[in-house]
Amino acid sequence: MEREMAWNIVEEFTESLSLKRHMLAAEAAMRAYAVRMGGDPDVWGVTGLLHDFDYEKNPDVTIDGHPIVGSRILRERGVSEEIIRAILAHAEHVTGIKPESQMEKALVAVDELTGFLVAVALVRPSKDIADVNLKSVKKKWKDSAFAAAVNRREIEHAAQALGVPLDEHIQIVLDAMKDKKVVS
């Protein structure tokens, strides 16, 4: 699937600017990981871009909601099973699909982290991702009250499953988001 087609799907199903930014951040991070791991940046990027496209219309992460409903829509639109499987694997607790490929593991690893990094950026005076560094992320990471909904253990486990130390994982995703100016 070409990126333009993927973006059209995002636009069709998503009104929330913050959710669109999240998907753009995931796209940037997935592209960075594709380059690092020898994957196809276009396929990995589209996977990141589409992974939550149906969330606004199907906010219940259940068998009758996200991402199951979204996977059906993507199949109808001719999206590859490789991308659909990765999207389903990012909600293993609902779909039963365990992340196995590097692309699937990367999506799980970047999903929650992009949200955390946006939260770190938004509490800075500039609200600009360009002003965020690893030290400031690690400081907020230790504060369990900060972005309390972000599952830090899931991020740590996902980075480990990907074979990347946590600090390096944070830096890769942060650099990708800075490069694409996801929050500013």
Side-chain angles (χ1 to χ4, degrees), residues 23 26-28 30-31 34 40-50:
M23 290 183 278
E27 175 191 21
M30 289 294 289
R31 285 181 176 280
D40 182 331
D42 292 329
V43 172
W44 288 43
V46 164
T47 302
L49 186 59
L50 287 173

